[in-house]
Amino acid sequence: MYLWLGWVVVCYLVYLYNYILVHKTVNYMSATENFKALGLSLPPAPTPLGVYKPCLVDGKYLYLSGHGPVQDDKSLIIGRIGSEMDIEQGKLAARQVGLTMLSTIVANIGSLDKIKRVIKVLGMVNCTSDFGRHPYVINGCSELFAKIWGEENGIGVRSAVGMGSLPDNIPVEVEALFELY
């Protein structure tokens, strides 16, 4: 009996030692700290141009309406991928949409640290009919979220689809669902 109890204590102490070792060497940063480390800036949070809410909290979920690529001067990035824009410009526009969404989160719930994880992203790409790399473009937004909340919590399920047009000829529109703490 005492031998068995001794092994349980030894196993627990080994586990505790490894836990402390891992957590002391890994630098856990908050979403806000991760954002600051990227050296990026948030554009102004957009105001609705129609009859809708930019975000809605329902219990432990935050729904974000479709967002476009708002720049620091409040102007939109415009252009169709495959004609006025190439794929890399589209990916950068998708990252800008992600920044715009982060701005809406901060403006409406106060902090990126209130987001537990990304649940779902729907990315819409304004592109020519022969363009087929929609997921690559939307990676601009998804990669940003993964850097903010980490790969475990920053990557959710996702759809990336092509559209014949988007409002004001923006190249990318993204909507998302997040889980709150």
Side-chain angles (χ1 to χ4, degrees):
M1 168 80 175
Y2 292 112
L3 183 61
W4 177 81
L5 185 58
W7 276 109
V8 170
V9 170
V10 167
C11 289
Y12 177 74
L13 291 174
V14 168
Y15 166 79
L16 188 60
Y17 172 77
N18 287 329
Y19 179 85
I20 291 170
L21 183 66
V22 166
H23 285 83
K24 277 189 146 186
T25 59
V26 175
N27 185 12
Y28 289 100
M29 293 174 46
S30 70
T32 300
E33 291 169 331
N34 288 337
F35 178 79
K36 288 178 183 176
L38 293 172
L40 301 171
S41 65
L42 293 178
T47 56
L49 299 175
V51 183
Y52 68 94
K53 296 177 180 183
C55 67
L56 176 72
V57 174
D58 181 19
K60 66 178 185 172
Y61 297 105
L62 172 68
Y63 294 83
L64 287 189
S65 295
H67 280 62
V70 176
Q71 300 180 94
D72 290 343
D73 65 359
K74 294 187 181 182
S75 68
L76 294 170
I77 297 172
I78 58 169
R80 191 170 201 197
I81 299 168
S83 58
E84 298 95 4
M85 299 180 80
D86 66 26
I87 193 168
E88 294 303 326
Q89 291 170 314
K91 186 176 181 183
L92 287 173
R95 184 181 81 160
Q96 192 64 34
V97 174
L99 290 169
T100 305
M101 297 172 89
L102 298 179
S103 182
T104 294
I105 291 170
V106 170
N108 287 274
I109 66 167
S111 172
L112 299 176
D113 298 331
K114 293 183 180 181
I115 301 294
K116 181 176 182 180
R117 67 181 171 142
V118 176
I119 301 289
K120 176 153 181 37
V121 170
L122 168 61
M124 297 159 274
V125 180
N126 179 10
C127 58
T128 57
S129 62
D130 62 337
F131 185 80
R133 299 206 44 214
H134 315 100
Y136 181 83
V137 171
I138 300 304
N139 280 347
C141 181
S142 296
E143 290 168 2
L144 174 67
F145 289 173
K147 289 177 183 172
I148 300 297
W149 290 289
E151 290 193 10
E152 182 67 27
N153 293 322
I155 300 173
V157 297
R158 186 183 86 175
S159 299
V161 297
M163 300 287 175
S165 69
L166 286 173
D168 296 320
N169 199 34
I170 59 175
V172 180
E173 181 174 345
V174 178
E175 67 177 49
L177 171 63
F178 301 87
E179 183 179 359
L180 299 168
Y181 278 107

